[in-house]
Amino acid sequence: MMGLTYAEENYLKSIYHISEGGKRSVSTNDIAASMKTKPASVSDMLRKLGEKGVIEYRKYYGVHITEEGKKYALQTIRKHRLWEVFLVDKLHFTWDEVHEVADELEHVKSKILIQRLDEFLGFPKFDPHGDPIPDEYGDVRSRPRLPLSEIDIHGTGQIVAVKDSSAAFLRYLDKVGAYIGAKIKVVDKVEFDGSVEVLVDNKKNIFMSKEVAGNVLVI
């Protein structure tokens, strides 16, 4: 397969995420919204990606990522998430600072560099936001997770990931004391608005809106 440009890699990664790992077709409007650009620009990029065999596009039927495209997208995602681990664990970035930096580093082409990086980090399975890191073959280790908002009163669990990895949301979680690895117990749920009261690590009670609790994932 021909190599992809940085822009093509970004589009392919976005298509992969929107399509839920290739499970469904996506529209040009979905892609335009994700990439913050105009549908006309998306159409031009889809033509290029189609010529390289990483997507299939039929007007009115949407965009479907091919098996070759999935492999390419997963390798880009792997690099992104490994760099996030490196930035947090070794360079002491906070988890809300790493996304944009990793967006730049994910385009490194050297396979041996990424293999050495993976080894240096101890072959991590999850990034700082709890997202699984694909291995060098594109295999992803998934685990069942539930939004905190779906946990019953007196239910317990552990925070393992977030659905919203925006810097503002992550800073909010830092402010209230919710973090990856925290043990939680649902103390109360408000019927009126769906907000929840949560005991964290058996020592601190915090309150979350329904929206916040829906973006915190637990096992």
Side-chain angles (χ1 to χ4, degrees):
M1 184 181 70
M2 293 180 288
L4 302 183
T5 66
Y6 287 10
E8 289 168 346
E9 287 183 345
N10 286 336
Y11 266 86
L12 189 61
K13 184 178 69 168
S14 179
I15 293 167
Y16 178 85
H17 284 311
I18 299 169
S19 67
E20 300 170 358
K23 295 177 183 176
R24 64 183 183 89
S25 296
V26 297
S27 70
T28 53
N29 286 336
D30 288 335
I31 300 167
S34 174
M35 299 301 296
K36 297 181 174 61
T37 190
K38 297 178 180 178
S41 299
V42 172
S43 296
D44 184 52
M45 179 59 74
L46 295 181
R47 177 184 57 78
K48 294 177 182 177
L49 293 174
E51 290 173 354
K52 294 188 175 182
V54 292
I55 67 160
E56 294 174 349
Y57 173 55
R58 292 174 60 197
K59 199 171 184 179
Y60 308 120
Y61 289 91
V63 178
H64 177 73
I65 191 167
T66 66
E67 288 302 315
E68 192 70 15
K70 289 179 190 178
K71 293 176 184 177
Y72 214 113
L74 284 165
Q75 287 307 307
T76 304
I77 292 166
R78 166 177 164 78
K79 289 184 284 185
H80 182 101
R81 292 176 179 174
L82 282 172
W83 283 120
E84 287 192 335
V85 175
F86 175 77
L87 291 167
V88 170
D89 288 1
K90 305 302 180 182
L91 298 187
H92 311 298
F93 281 68
T94 57
W95 67 338
D96 61 286
E97 295 175 324
V98 296
H99 186 70
E100 290 185 0
V101 182
D103 270 345
E104 298 179 21
L105 294 169
E106 71 185 24
H107 299 294
V108 170
K109 301 298 184 183
S110 173
K111 291 184 178 180
I112 192 168
L113 172 61
I114 301 306
Q115 290 171 348
R116 296 277 178 87
L117 177 65
D118 194 16
E119 181 180 3
F120 176 67
L121 296 171
F123 306 103
K125 302 300 182 186
F126 300 93
D127 74 8
H129 310 110
D131 291 317
I133 299 173
D135 67 17
E136 62 181 312
Y137 306 106
D139 293 326
V140 183
R141 175 187 175 186
S142 59
R143 55 186 174 187
R145 307 175 298 184
L146 277 177
L148 179 53
S149 56
E150 295 183 15
I151 304 299
D152 294 332
I153 295 177
H154 306 309
T156 60
Q158 182 179 28
I159 298 175
V160 294
V162 291
K163 288 174 65 177
D164 182 347
S165 58
S166 67
F169 182 69
L170 299 177
R171 285 195 294 268
Y172 174 79
L173 293 184
D174 282 338
K175 183 177 180 180
V176 300
Y179 62 95
I180 301 294
K183 302 291 180 61
I184 59 98
K185 179 179 181 179
V186 176
V187 177
D188 193 18
K189 301 181 78 170
V190 179
E191 183 179 355
F192 173 69
D193 62 2
S195 59
V196 298
E197 179 184 358
V198 180
L199 177 64
V200 179
D201 292 334
N202 292 314
K203 58 185 179 183
K204 180 181 180 181
N205 284 61
I206 62 176
F207 295 86
M208 294 183 180
S209 68
K210 182 179 181 180
E211 181 178 2
V212 168
N215 279 292
V216 175
L217 302 176
V218 302
I219 58 172

